[in-house]
Amino acid sequence: MSQRPIVLDADIRRLQDEGYEVEVLNGHLLVHSIPYVTSLAVVSYGIVVTDLNGTIGELGRPKDHQVWFTGEFPCHSTGKPIEALRHSGGQTLWTGFAVQHRFSNKPESGFPDYYSKMKSYITIISNEAKAIDPTATPCTFKVIVPSEEANSVFKYYDSASSRANIIAVSEKLAMEKVAIVGLGGTGSYVLDLVAKTRVREIHLFDGKIFNQHNAFRAPGAASVETLEARPAKVDYYAGTYGAMRHGIVPHSVFISQDNAELLAEVDFVFLCVDTGLSRKVISTFLRDRDIPFVDVGMDLQMIFEANQLIGTCRTTLVTQGKADHFDDYAPQGTDTDEDLYRSNIQVADMNALNAALAVVKWKQFCEFYRDQFEVHHSTFSIDSHSLTRDVTNIGDSH
């Protein structure tokens, strides 16, 4: 993906035009080769870093006045620390890139733009270096080739993670291949959530057409023209989420015993099927090959005398270290059996909740979220508004 829309932002372009070594990486603005004075009163070079919280091409006002810095703590020309900058220590912003210091030096009115923010910190730091070496300058006019998007799954930078400062933990979700089997109400919401993570490839499996009833329990809003075109579900969703990211791979097929090998190379599976037989075939294949997966199920029923719905949604995780519970909780009978997910009643909010619980469980498996008890099975009941877990799984490991 081209870096051009980001680099052409007025603030960043102005820094470039003045000769600063500018790079945009992982939703952050880096200005390299900033001369500063060490505690030994000698000149060294570091990087000033800030997160970008604006829209591509329209960064606007920074959300805060602070920056990070790589290198030793900058000093005055005498070797005494510039205490006016000091705020806190360093951290790892993303894999392979650590900063050593967090600076805070806020003007009375704040910073109106990124240019003035970066310029202010660079000037404070580099002026002390110039006092020792008049040739020391942050304006090298060296061009840095944009590198971020060459390896990114996204078509624009993930400012949500950068502004929340969770890029390092978000990288834990960067699996190579994740499969979503079944793109009904729950599966489509699973895709909506997983598409916004750093999974390299998301493989979609469903042999059905995207019909009108699907539009009422799916994320987003399909047009009349789309429904009239009757696209395959996988193609519809691949086109929708292909607008924001790479790596959406559609497979317009139902997974069966004959083609289950299509799942052999994936790292994780979201199993969102609507028949017990399909669940049995696919889960058996995955368990035989130690491929982790989370299975979902929903059962809504009408209470006619009250004119209300009751029901539950289920989330069951299977891992290499814990699989013996699956047969106790997941319906795997014939197509005529009363399967949890096969209820005729589906409502978008319950589909979305079921999907969210499944994705949260996957993120716990990836250690994105803390999982104190490592629960492998849970159910949510709508009428009692209760979330229960299988206590027998407490203490089990992945």
Side-chain angles (χ1 to χ4, degrees):
M1 172 189 165
S2 172
Q3 189 76 22
R4 182 177 175 84
I6 302 174
V7 174
L8 289 184
D9 182 273
D11 291 355
I12 302 177
R13 185 180 64 236
R14 189 174 177 187
L15 290 169
Q16 282 186 316
D17 291 345
E18 292 185 9
Y20 294 99
E21 292 181 25
V22 170
E23 182 179 21
V24 175
L25 187 61
N26 284 323
H28 288 73
L29 172 61
L30 293 71
V31 182
H32 297 258
S33 301
I34 305 303
Y36 70 96
V37 178
T38 71
S39 59
L40 298 177
V42 298
V43 175
S44 188
Y45 293 84
I47 306 171
V48 176
V49 184
T50 184
D51 61 300
L52 297 174
N53 60 279
T55 302
I56 293 176
E58 299 177 357
L59 291 177
R61 192 181 186 95
K63 71 179 178 70
D64 60 41
H65 61 278
Q66 298 171 344
V67 298
W68 288 282
F69 186 73
T70 67
E72 299 179 39
F73 193 90
C75 297
H76 293 284
S77 58
T78 60
K80 182 179 179 180
I82 307 176
E83 294 296 340
L85 295 175
R86 194 181 298 276
H87 181 265
S88 59
Q91 65 184 90
T92 297
L93 293 184
W94 57 85
T95 301
F97 187 80
V99 291
Q100 285 70 51
H101 307 284
R102 181 75 161 160
F103 295 160
S104 177
N105 188 268
K106 183 180 180 181
E108 186 174 340
S109 59
F111 294 111
D113 51 47
Y114 281 93
Y115 171 82
S116 60
K117 177 180 180 178
M118 299 301 276
K119 183 84 170 181
S120 175
Y121 283 100
I122 291 170
T123 299
I124 292 172
I125 296 168
S126 62
N127 277 354
E128 298 298 326
K130 287 183 180 179
I132 295 176
D133 179 4
T135 66
T137 176
C139 299
T140 66
F141 288 91
K142 177 183 176 181
V143 176
I144 295 180
V145 178
S147 58
E148 174 189 14
E149 308 305 338
N151 296 313
S152 176
V153 298
F154 299 115
K155 296 185 177 180
Y156 40 87
Y157 65 81
D158 177 12
S159 59
S161 293
S162 62
R163 71 181 295 165
N165 196 24
I166 58 170
I167 287 179
V169 69
S170 295
E171 290 177 334
K172 293 181 177 182
L173 305 175
M175 288 183 168
E176 284 298 315
K177 295 182 181 180
V178 167
I180 302 174
V181 181
L183 287 171
T186 302
S188 60
Y189 278 102
V190 168
L191 171 60
D192 185 73
L193 299 173
V194 175
K196 290 149 188 168
T197 71
R198 300 186 176 212
V199 172
R200 302 301 301 180
E201 294 181 9
I202 305 173
H203 290 255
L204 311 180
F205 295 90
D206 197 306
K208 293 182 179 179
I209 298 297
F210 187 82
N211 287 313
Q212 185 170 325
H213 66 277
N214 299 125
F216 283 90
R217 59 174 194 257
S223 67
V224 172
E225 292 76 17
T226 296
L227 296 175
E228 289 177 341
R230 294 178 54 78
K233 276 187 182 179
V234 293
D235 293 335
Y236 168 73
Y237 287 115
T240 299
Y241 292 93
M244 78 174 298
R245 59 162 295 146
H246 306 283
I248 305 290
V249 185
H251 305 268
S252 190
V253 297
F254 296 110
I255 294 295
S256 66
Q257 199 162 7
D258 296 332
N259 63 2
E261 283 292 336
L262 291 171
L263 301 175
E265 301 299 323
V266 303
D267 301 302
F268 193 92
V269 175
F270 289 92
L271 190 50
C272 310
V273 296
D274 58 2
T275 72
L277 281 178
S278 294
R279 181 179 289 110
K280 182 175 183 179
V281 168
I282 299 169
S283 65
T284 299
F285 176 88
L286 297 175
R287 284 182 285 176
D288 286 346
R289 287 156 181 78
D290 285 331
I291 298 173
F293 66 95
V294 62
D295 179 65
V296 298
M298 195 167 76
D299 179 25
L300 292 181
Q301 300 175 13
M302 182 70 175
I303 305 300
F304 290 98
E305 56 269 27
N307 197 29
Q308 294 177 328
L309 298 178
I310 64 170
T312 61
C313 58
R314 172 186 57 82
T315 305
T316 307
L317 173 69
V318 173
T319 65
Q320 186 174 359
K322 182 65 177 176
D324 56 356
H325 62 296
F326 186 74
D327 290 337
D328 294 331
Y329 295 116
Q332 299 173 69
T334 65
D335 287 351
T336 57
D337 286 345
E338 190 175 351
D339 298 326
L340 284 175
Y341 195 84
R342 197 172 170 80
S343 168
N344 288 328
I345 302 175
Q346 292 195 42
V347 182
D349 47 74
M350 288 293 284
N351 285 133
L353 176 61
N354 205 177
L357 292 172
V359 172
V360 166
K361 180 48 61 181
W362 167 64
K363 288 186 174 183
Q364 287 180 317
F365 171 77
C366 295
E367 300 184 350
F368 176 91
Y369 290 126
R370 186 179 180 185
D371 189 4
Q372 183 177 359
F373 299 118
E374 299 185 356
V375 175
H376 283 57
H377 175 79
S378 62
T379 57
F380 176 80
S381 175
I382 188 66
D383 50 321
S384 63
H385 203 78
S386 60
L387 183 64
T388 61
R389 68 186 185 214
D390 177 6
V391 296
T392 63
N393 290 327
I394 295 177
D396 290 337
S397 65
H398 292 151

